[in-house]
């Protein structure tokens, strides 16, 4: 049986702990017991952990051997700010798929009220990513940056690809296959309504390449999930895949 994985709140040598609500969930909902074993992610590795102490808001583990890792490509997702419920769903699913960093971007077509409120949502987005990382057995959650303007989010040393429905020829799969992204890639997803011509010009001047997910126009959250899934399907064959019941046909 596959052991559940937890991301430790505290690590010191061969000891780790979950604290606060994190520990309370294990104690009250999952009814933790002394001696139970779980996989514990410590930030730089994942180790076998055995519960040695249980308190109302603290669970301590004794750590044993390091477990094999499944390395993923270093994928940064620039995610334009759109309706928060849909954006949170995209953050959750892109975390499950393996995104290493998610950068909320204030685009020209981002709703002004959402853009103004976005800074206050960052901690919630980080909690969602943390919970999703544990559920999907990741060693650590993705970094979730504070919202940036597009002009502040264009410079990355890795291959950079902006998704655009205006791209007439190049599919994301083809661009990824020819870009040498094994060591890292940045993908940019526009808001509802897509990137403006002025924004696309900024991307191109900064050295980004455009790509398409196909002829069908999809929602921003669908584009984000599809793009991340395509990248990992090409460069991490053992990475999480879309559910087999999914009916999407992706570029």
């Amino acid at each position: 049986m596959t052991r559940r994985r937890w991301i430790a709140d505290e690590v010191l040598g061969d000891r780790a702990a979950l604290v606060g609500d994190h520990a309370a969930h294990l104690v009250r909902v999952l009814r933790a017991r002394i001696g139970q074993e779980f996989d514990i992610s410590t930030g730089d590795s994942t180790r076998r952990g055995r519960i040695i102490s249980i308190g109302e808001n603290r669970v301590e583990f004794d750590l044993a051997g390091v477990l094999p890792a499944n390395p993923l490509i270093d994928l940064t997702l620039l995610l334009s700010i759109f309706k928060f419920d849909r954006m949170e769903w995209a953050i959750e699913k892109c975390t499950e798929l393996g995104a290493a960093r998610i950068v909320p971007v204030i685009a020209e077509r981002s709703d002004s009220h959402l853009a103004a409120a976005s800074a206050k949502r960052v901690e919630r987005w980080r909690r969602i990513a943390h919970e999703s990382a544990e559920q999907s057995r990741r060693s650590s959650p993705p970094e979730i940056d504070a919202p940036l303007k597009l002009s502040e989010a264009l410079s990355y040393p890795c291959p950079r690809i902006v998704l655009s429905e205006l791209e007439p020829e190049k599919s994301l799969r083809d661009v990824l296959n020819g870009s040498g992204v094994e060591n890292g890639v940045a993908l940019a997803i526009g808001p509802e309504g897509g990137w403006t011509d002025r924004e696309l010009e900024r991307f191109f001047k900064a050295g980004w390449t455009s790509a398409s997910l196909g002829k069908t126009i999809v929602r921003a959250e669908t584009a984000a999930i599809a793009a991340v899934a395509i990248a990992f399907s090409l460069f991490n064959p053992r990475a999480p895949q879309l559910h087999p019941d999914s009916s999407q046909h992706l570029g």
Side-chain angles (χ1 to χ4, degrees), residues 81-89 113-119 121 124-125 128:
I81 292 169
F82 50 92
K83 291 180 180 178
F84 286 154
D85 58 340
R86 295 177 180 170
M87 187 167 175
E88 289 172 2
W89 192 73
H113 297 290
L114 296 178
S118 60
R121 304 288 289 201
R124 174 176 171 82
W125 294 337
I128 289 170

Side-chain angles (χ1 to χ4, degrees), residues 171-193:
S171 74
L172 176 59
R173 187 176 297 274
D174 289 341
V175 173
L176 285 167
N177 271 325
S179 61
V181 304
E182 292 85 350
N183 295 321
V185 64
L187 302 175
I189 307 295
E192 296 169 330

Side-chain angles (χ1 to χ4, degrees), residues 12 18 29 38 58 78 89 110 145 151 161 189 201 214 218 233:
L12 181 61
L18 305 184
V29 179
F38 295 91
R58 185 178 182 87
L78 272 63
W89 192 73
S110 293
D145 288 9
S151 59
I161 302 169
I189 307 295
E201 185 63 26
V218 298
S233 72

Side-chain angles (χ1 to χ4, degrees), residues 229-249:
I230 289 169
F232 281 111
S233 72
L234 289 174
F235 299 103
N236 291 102
R238 295 180 60 191
Q241 303 295 309
L242 290 178
H243 191 281
D245 291 338
S246 174
S247 60
Q248 291 99 331
H249 297 281

Side-chain angles (χ1 to χ4, degrees), residues 162 164 167 199-210:
V162 54
S164 171
E167 171 51 53
E199 287 174 322
L200 288 173
E201 185 63 26
R202 287 180 179 174
F203 277 111
F204 300 146
K205 286 184 177 179
W208 289 65
T209 300
S210 65

